[in-house]
Amino acid sequence: MGGVPLRVVSYNIHTQRDDTAALAEVVRAAQPDVVIVQEGPRRFRWRRKCAALAESFGLVVAAGGLPALGNLLLTSMRVRVHATSCQRFPLTPGRHLRGAAFAECSVRGSTRFVVAGTHLSTDPAERPAQAVLFREEVEAARWPVLVGADLNEGPGGAAWRTIADGLVDTAVAADRADRLTYSCANPSRRIDALFVDPRVTVVDYDVVDTPNTRRASDHFPVLVDLLLPAAD
């Protein structure tokens, strides 16, 4: 099977309200190349907090934090980051601000790729418009895209369909769409997903359910092994 391997984790870390030592152990044990974080640091001293979180994972900050309203992209030293950007969705009165983070990356031997992360509203009236705005940025990418998201709805929802359109749902590709991601206390929904460009091969997919993941957050992490297209 040709291609360049990449291991990606998409993870809502619940604003680090839970067992942070367990959280660090979960990510370090996964040995990811990229971590797409939802509910990362976004307030006072956010740069320092993002750097400390990345260090606890054995990674570095690529993009996000406050400018992306808590969406954060972290990478290993194997990944080279070429460009970054952040997005904020329009504020609906009385609701939390939401946004997204993007990073154009490469690893040795691969074509460039874009990592994108977002966390959509809990309000079903807000999600579809946010998904459209996010999808516009995804479609503007010049390279194959990897999208990690907490969608706050399951497959079949309007926002889910918007973001998934034309992309590969890695859980479905691995025949593991029955694996639930929320909540750790009572797993009942698959609201966290990783979607990839069809040019990217899905090798393996897991929702990591261990004693540590149940202590680390209210969401389980999504762990996916991919093969990126080789550089021309």
Side-chain angles (χ1 to χ4, degrees), residues 15-61:
T15 63
Q16 298 172 267
R17 295 183 215 171
D18 304 298
D19 187 330
T20 55
L23 178 66
E25 288 179 19
V26 166
V27 176
R28 283 182 174 270
Q31 297 184 306
D33 299 298
V34 174
V35 178
I36 304 170
V37 173
Q38 301 90 38
E39 293 196 30
R42 56 177 287 181
R43 293 187 173 89
F44 184 61
R45 295 181 177 170
W46 65 272
R47 290 183 181 84
R48 182 181 301 177
K49 292 175 182 176
C50 288
L53 178 68
E55 183 178 6
S56 76
F57 292 169
L59 303 170
V60 296
V61 176

Side-chain angles (χ1 to χ4, degrees), residues 5 22 26 44 48 55 67 87 102 122 125 128 137-138 141 145 163 166-169 174-175 183 203 213 228:
V26 166
F44 184 61
R48 182 181 301 177
E55 183 178 6
Q87 179 183 29
F102 302 85
T122 56
E137 293 296 317
V138 168
V145 179
I163 291 176
L167 299 176
V168 175
D169 182 336
D175 196 25
S183 70
V203 177
T213 60
L228 300 170

Side-chain angles (χ1 to χ4, degrees), residues 112-217:
R112 291 194 186 191
F113 59 96
V114 173
V115 180
T118 192
H119 182 193
L120 301 187
S121 175
T122 56
D123 185 340
E126 287 187 305
R127 285 197 297 270
Q130 293 175 350
V132 168
L133 292 171
F134 177 68
R135 181 64 194 217
E136 288 173 353
E137 293 296 317
V138 168
E139 290 179 346
R142 296 175 52 207
W143 308 101
V145 179
L146 320 178
V147 174
D150 174 358
L151 297 162
N152 271 311
E153 67 180 35
W160 184 294
R161 292 196 307 269
T162 295
I163 291 176
D165 184 35
L167 299 176
V168 175
D169 182 336
T170 57
V172 173
D175 196 25
R176 291 180 181 170
D178 60 335
R179 301 295 303 277
L180 305 175
T181 67
Y182 181 82
S183 70
C184 291
N186 180 29
S188 58
R189 305 170 69 196
R190 183 165 79 95
I191 63 173
D192 305 273
L194 186 74
F195 306 103
V196 298
D197 185 284
R199 291 169 287 182
V200 176
T201 301
V202 179
V203 177
D204 199 11
Y205 171 98
D206 194 17
V207 175
V208 184
D209 183 354
T210 66
N212 268 342
T213 60
R214 288 178 178 257
R215 290 194 297 268
S217 177

Side-chain angles (χ1 to χ4, degrees), residues 87-99:
Q87 179 183 29
R88 293 189 178 194
F89 305 137
L91 175 63
T92 301
R95 300 296 179 184
H96 293 296
L97 284 166
R98 302 284 182 174

